[in-house]
Amino acid sequence: MNSNGATTQAMSQVQGFGHFAMLSDEQAEARITAARARLGQRVVLLSHHYQRESVYRHADLTGDSLKLARLAARTDADFILFCGVHFMAEVADILSRSEQIAILPDLAAGCSMADMADLVKVERCWDELAEVFGTPDTRITPVTYINSAADLKAFCGEHGGIVCTSTNAPAIIDWALAQREKVLFFPDQHLGRWTGFKKGIPLDQMAVWDPDLERGGLTAKELEHARILLWKGHCSVHQMFQAGHIQSWRTQYPDGFVISHPESNLDVCRESDYVGSTEFIIETITAAPPGTRWLVGTELNLVSRLAERLKPQGKIIKFMAPTVCMCSTMQRIDPQHLAWALENLANGNVVNPVRVPAREAELARTALTRMLEIS
Ligand code: 13P
Ligand code: SF4
């Protein structure tokens, strides 16, 4: 038997998902509870705040991306079952010990923003920058948002760069600009722009790099002028929020507060009273005086849960957009997939392990460790 006791103990056949897909939420939840009882401390369930309530309630630990990365690095459990999206499970695999196994109940739970940058395009960008700057490694620090694939984190590790999250982006940009005069920030232009803006970097010194255009669609002069090159990527959920939503809400509730995630566009962030990570949003509203009113620009599951939890304190919490905008990839983790992954695990079968190849993991760890040391 290996140290986690899973694969070699696998006497029973792997159960396919088909049967689990037919379960009601209640049936799935009963099976989750039973499987967890069999597994005990060998499994830890980490959940991002965007998970639906029927999954979130099973979590041992919850958090934003930074907190979850730290928790994954610290746990002693044999199995880290991630209720979140693919890049989060990859980070858990990279930061945990090699014998621990990170599991994502549905491998199709990706992040559409993360998919807006890939290694081929980032390497092509780096080569094109070399045509203007000679060796970009001496003039540009690559910074990847944690919402990115492991090979992009590895790229940053290899080129003296770093990872950031929505919590630590200001400190990371300071670090990056202290290393070299410019930053290439991917894949979220909005987090990069807001962070640069807060640091007083003029907007005309933050140029958008369009990966589908030759040399990002920028002239050599524009590239020389830029301090931050912002990859043309965005979050499909946060792009729904608009400054107009805030302005019309404020005319109705001038005493209310507005809080947004920094994946929202610059105008939304500027109009907000507070901007920060999912954990920051929860902490800020939780700590606010009873009876306060809030407009919140982040994913709907988080906002609905918070509104329900803080209703007894008389807090009125409203979602910013008029249309429903959940993160459809986070939604892929449902009680049925959770039951399927846990029951197989309890039977000695690991389904959906997330494994980052060794060399890639080593380089990505370098970039992640730099981040954890700074933040
Ligand atoms: P947080 O790190 O703030 O939780 O953000 C992750 C994310 O994907 C937000 O869309
Ligand atoms: Fe990715 Fe946006 Fe979903 Fe966050 S909310 S996981 S950035 S698609």
Side-chain angles (χ1 to χ4, degrees):
M1 184 183 281
N2 66 14
S3 60
N4 59 48
T7 38
T8 51
Q9 177 199 319
M11 303 311 291
S12 66
Q13 253 198 327
V14 176
Q15 300 183 79
F17 180 65
H19 160 73
F20 287 82
M22 309 305 288
L23 299 178
S24 67
D25 280 7
E26 293 69 29
Q27 288 168 328
E29 291 198 27
R31 290 174 77 154
I32 291 168
T33 307
R36 294 214 60 191
R38 288 168 63 200
L39 284 158
Q41 306 290 312
R42 297 172 65 217
V43 66
V44 64
L45 258 70
L46 300 189
S47 177
H48 187 262
H49 297 305
Y50 291 166
Q51 289 293 298
R52 61 176 84 200
E53 183 54 30
S54 53
V55 166
Y56 194 80
R57 72 166 70 109
H58 294 286
D60 296 304
L61 302 161
T62 62
D64 62 12
S65 306
L66 180 62
K67 189 172 163 192
L68 290 170
R70 287 212 173 97
L71 291 167
R74 244 182 251 153
T75 179
D76 280 330
D78 296 334
F79 306 104
I80 304 166
L81 203 143
F82 225 107
C83 300
V85 287
H86 196 265
F87 74 81
M88 296 177 179
E90 281 186 333
V91 169
D93 178 53
I94 294 164
L95 294 179
S96 58
R97 297 190 311 274
S98 60
E99 67 274 16
Q100 293 175 295
I101 299 179
I103 295 169
L104 187 65
D106 184 348
L107 289 175
C111 163
S112 55
M113 174 209 282
D115 292 343
M116 289 179 191
D118 62 38
L119 189 59
V120 171
K121 287 183 179 176
V122 169
E123 283 183 336
R124 191 173 68 214
C125 164
W126 207 244
D127 290 345
E128 289 180 327
L129 290 172
E131 289 165 16
V132 179
F133 296 114
T135 321
D137 288 66
T138 59
R139 296 192 62 190
I140 306 172
T141 309
V143 178
T144 188
Y145 188 23
I146 197 164
N147 296 39
S148 58
D151 56 5
L152 292 184
K153 295 181 176 83
F155 176 91
C156 290
E158 193 170 8
H159 292 277
I162 194 161
V163 179
C164 78
T165 70
S166 57
T167 302
N168 59 26
I172 299 297
I173 292 289
D174 283 345
W175 179 90
L177 286 172
Q179 311 304 306
R180 300 163 194 171
E181 73 204 69
K182 296 177 194 294
V183 162
L184 171 65
F185 190 95
F186 45 87
D188 185 18
Q189 59 171 304
H190 297 302
L191 176 63
R193 188 178 290 109
W194 171 245
T195 308
F197 175 79
K198 288 292 281 179
K199 297 204 167 295
I201 297 175
L203 291 174
D204 70 344
Q205 291 180 22
M206 294 191 275
V208 175
W209 178 278
D210 184 339
D212 295 324
L213 296 178
E214 195 178 331
R215 210 158 62 186
L218 297 167
T219 62
K221 201 169 159 205
E222 286 168 328
L223 286 168
E224 276 294 354
H225 186 64
R227 291 198 70 202
I228 304 185
L229 292 169
L230 301 168
W231 193 266
K232 196 179 176 195
H234 65 270
C235 166
S236 47
V237 174
H238 290 84
Q239 70 161 351
M240 307 286 283
F241 306 127
Q242 298 301 327
H245 300 145
I246 301 177
Q247 287 148 4
S248 55
W249 188 81
R250 284 208 197 273
T251 58
Q252 274 183 287
Y253 308 107
D255 296 335
F257 299 97
V258 180
I259 189 164
S260 303
H261 194 280
E263 288 172 14
S264 309
N265 70 46
L266 182 67
D267 291 341
V268 168
C269 292
R270 287 172 84 161
E271 292 274 347
S272 298
D273 300 301
Y274 304 93
V275 178
S277 77
T278 55
E279 188 80 9
F280 171 83
I281 291 171
I282 293 169
E283 281 175 2
T284 304
I285 305 181
T286 302
T292 45
R293 187 183 285 274
W294 293 83
L295 184 69
V296 186
T298 199
E299 202 265 357
L300 187 56
N301 279 314
L302 183 159
V303 180
S304 308
R305 184 181 306 116
L306 200 57
E308 207 48 46
R309 184 163 71 77
L310 299 180
K311 208 192 285 176
Q313 297 176 18
K315 292 179 192 170
I316 302 171
I317 297 168
K318 189 174 177 297
F319 182 62
M320 192 177 286
T323 47
V324 169
C325 49
M326 282 163 171
C327 174
S328 57
T329 47
M330 286 268 182
Q331 280 290 106
R332 284 187 169 272
I333 310 296
D334 54 19
Q336 290 73 16
H337 281 89
L338 191 51
W340 174 65
L342 282 167
E343 212 168 281
N344 270 299
L345 202 52
N347 291 338
N349 298 312
V350 177
V351 294
N352 289 359
V354 173
R355 281 261 184 243
V356 178
R359 176 68 185 144
E360 194 174 302
E362 190 187 322
L363 289 168
R365 198 175 303 115
T366 301
L368 281 162
T369 305
R370 282 181 190 136
M371 172 188 85
L372 292 171
E373 282 168 4
I374 289 164
S375 49

